[in-house]
């Protein structure tokens, strides 16, 4: 009897254990099942045509992560992108090229580590023509790559830009010190950037014009990207008055030179020196100056060679050596509109001036126009922003 009772208890215990195992949904019966392969989606979808060049490509993984995404554009080159921190989403950066078929290859990984590969294709809109940057200032040849605190970034295009927003948002200014600034369209082929206030001294600046494939107008796209690095030098600001006939130069806030001057004699409007914030536009050891609007043989005509000149406008104004007016410098205005200084002072000034240095003249009834040379600082910030498509914002520091 004892043995039978013992055996019955053992059978009962075994039956209970078996019943528990069979009813456990997370038990032995589930061991060995594998996670499904991760799924991958593409936007734009496979075989989508006429995709705008600025529409981002997004690749997403569900039930896993993305190991890699490759976007091949053939002769147009690959399309770069960025993977999210959790590895589930990839987004293209920049713009695609027009008239290009792109093949997208994505490799995903499921929770078990199994890899899967999916591919998709899409094609972009066809472009009829291109636009390019024709000139950019400052530059190595015309201004040098170390410039004054008032220097704007000036871009001209070889074709009129209809889609200003698209172009402007791809013109990126980076700087080593934070600066608030904005672009300003003077016309359809000319856009300039200036800060709210003068650049901080000794700031490194980079222009990144990421225009390749960017829409500039109907069926017109950017031809290439352009990058320019330059540096802001020391802060030098020159101020002069047509009333007190003196130029004062301050460097980094400290007065370093005072120079007697003679400004425009007036009488006729063209013979007044313009008042306003000028910028040094060029340094010319020798300049031949001729009378404005008067030809040879006419009364008042002149043609003369002048030395050590610094151009400050497009209407013929310079700060230059004038040995003939030294007696008037410091007490009266006798020039045809230029700022006359002595030969010694002119030699010093051209040597110590950077292109883009502010030269501020006051006292004259004739005001410098914002489009007369580099009169960018003649507009207050509200006026400047009026012609900006994206308005103001901070530069990207690096």
């Amino acid at each position: 009897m004892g043995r039978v009772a013992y055996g019955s208890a053992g059978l009962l215990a075994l039956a209970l254990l078996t019943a528990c195992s069979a009813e456990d949904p997370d038990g032995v019966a589930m061991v060995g099942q594998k996670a499904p392969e991760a799924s991958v989606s593409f936007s734009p979808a496979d075989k989508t045509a006429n995709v705008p060049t600025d529409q981002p490509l997004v690749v997403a993984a569900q039930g896993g992560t993305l190991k890699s995404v490759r976007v091949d554009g053939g002769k147009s080159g690959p399309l770069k992108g960025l993977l999210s921190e959790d590895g589930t989403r990839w987004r293209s950066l920049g713009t695609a090229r027009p008239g290009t078929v792109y093949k997208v290859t994505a490799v995903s990984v499921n929770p078990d580590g199994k890899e899967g590969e999916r591919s998709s294709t899409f094609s972009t809109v066809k472009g009829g023509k291109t636009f390019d940057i024709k000139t950019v200032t400052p530059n190595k040849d015309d201004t040098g790559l170390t410039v004054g605190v008032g220097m704007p970034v000036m871009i001209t295009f070889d074709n009129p830009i209809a889609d200003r927003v698209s172009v402007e948002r791809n013109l990126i200014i980076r700087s080593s010190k934070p600066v608030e600034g904005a672009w300003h369209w003077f016309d359809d082929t000319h856009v300039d950037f200036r800060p709210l206030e003068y650049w901080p001294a000794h700031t490194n600046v980079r222009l990144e014009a990421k225009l390749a494939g960017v829409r500039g107008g109907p069926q017109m796209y950017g031809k290439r990207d352009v990058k320019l690095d330059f540096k802001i030098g020391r802060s030098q600001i020159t101020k002069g008055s047509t009333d007190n006939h003196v130029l004062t130069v301050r460097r980094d806030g400290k007065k370093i030179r005072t120079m007697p001057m003679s400004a425009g004699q007036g009488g006729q409007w063209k013979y007044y020196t313009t008042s306003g914030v000028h910028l040094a536009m060029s340094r010319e050891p020798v300049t031949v100056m001729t009378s404005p609007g008067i030809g040879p043989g006419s009364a008042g005509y002149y043609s003369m060679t002048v030395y050590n000149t610094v151009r400050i406008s497009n209407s013929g104004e310079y700060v230059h050596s004038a040995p003939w007016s030294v007696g008037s410098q410091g007490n009266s205005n006798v020039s045809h509109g230029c700022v006359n200084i002595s030969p010694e002072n002119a030699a010093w000034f051209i040597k110590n001036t950077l292109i883009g240095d502010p030269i501020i003249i006051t006292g004259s009834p004739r005001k410098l126009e914002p489009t007369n040379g580099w009169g960018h600082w003649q507009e207050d910030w509200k006026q400047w922003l009026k012609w900006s498509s994206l308005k103001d914002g901070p530069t990207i520091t690096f």
Side-chain angles (χ1 to χ4, degrees), residues 284-338:
E284 303 171 20
V286 181
T287 303
V288 176
M289 296 185 178
T290 57
S291 49
I294 302 175
S298 301
Y301 173 78
Y302 63 86
S303 178
M304 60 191 305
T305 300
V306 182
Y307 299 94
N308 290 331
T309 71
V310 175
R311 189 182 188 99
I312 61 173
S313 78
N314 277 345
S315 56
E317 294 173 295
Y318 292 80
V319 178
H320 67 78
S321 171
W324 59 86
S325 71
V326 169
S328 299
Q329 293 166 21
N331 58 75
S332 56
N333 297 321
V334 298
S335 82
H336 289 111
C338 288

Side-chain angles (χ1 to χ4, degrees), residues 119-198:
S119 62
S120 177
T121 62
F122 68 94
S123 58
T124 55
V125 294
K126 294 181 179 180
K129 59 180 180 179
T130 62
F131 72 91
D132 197 5
I133 288 181
K134 185 177 181 180
T135 63
V136 58
T137 306
N139 59 66
K140 182 180 179 181
D141 296 329
D142 298 325
T143 64
L145 295 177
T146 299
V147 294
V149 296
M151 188 73 205
V153 179
M154 298 175 282
I155 294 175
T156 58
F157 298 103
D158 62 356
N159 276 306
I161 302 300
D163 193 341
R164 294 183 178 184
V165 172
S166 179
V167 170
E168 189 177 321
R169 70 186 178 192
N170 285 283
L171 299 176
I172 300 166
I173 298 291
R174 300 181 185 272
S175 60
S176 59
K177 300 176 184 179
V179 174
E180 182 178 355
W183 292 93
H184 179 292
W185 290 86
F186 283 93
D187 54 48
D188 289 341
T189 61
H190 183 186
V191 63
D192 295 355
F193 177 94
R194 60 154 262 218
L196 169 61
E197 299 176 343
Y198 295 142

Side-chain angles (χ1 to χ4, degrees), residues 87-103:
T88 63
R89 185 180 177 89
W90 184 95
R91 187 183 188 279
S92 62
L93 300 174
T95 54
R97 302 298 181 266
T100 301
V101 176
Y102 286 92
K103 181 180 179 180

Side-chain angles (χ1 to χ4, degrees), residues 172-181 193 195 199-200 202-208 228-232 393-398:
I172 300 166
I173 298 291
R174 300 181 185 272
S175 60
S176 59
K177 300 176 184 179
V179 174
E180 182 178 355
F193 177 94
W199 294 98
H202 311 295
T203 298
N204 295 317
V205 185
R206 174 176 297 164
L207 163 68
E208 293 180 1
L228 171 72
D229 288 301
F230 63 96
K231 184 177 181 179
I232 306 299
T395 57
I396 301 172
T397 54
F398 63 91

Side-chain angles (χ1 to χ4, degrees), residues 75-94:
K75 292 182 179 180
S76 296
L79 196 58
K80 297 180 179 180
L82 187 66
L83 186 65
S84 63
E85 290 187 5
D86 64 2
T88 63
R89 185 180 177 89
W90 184 95
R91 187 183 188 279
S92 62
L93 300 174

Side-chain angles (χ1 to χ4, degrees), residues 236-241 244-250 255-263 308 310 319-321 326 328-331 339-353 358-359 361:
Q236 180 168 299
I237 300 173
T238 300
K239 293 184 179 181
S241 168
N244 64 20
H245 317 291
V246 174
L247 280 179
T248 301
V249 184
R250 293 183 180 273
K255 184 191 295 186
I256 60 170
R257 198 172 185 94
T258 299
M259 301 178 289
M261 61 168 266
S262 179
N308 290 331
V310 175
V319 178
H320 67 78
S321 171
V326 169
S328 299
Q329 293 166 21
N331 58 75
V339 176
N340 290 180
I341 53 178
S342 71
E344 179 185 358
N345 283 328
W348 181 92
F349 193 65
I350 192 173
K351 181 181 179 180
N352 287 276
T353 295
I359 300 167
I361 305 297

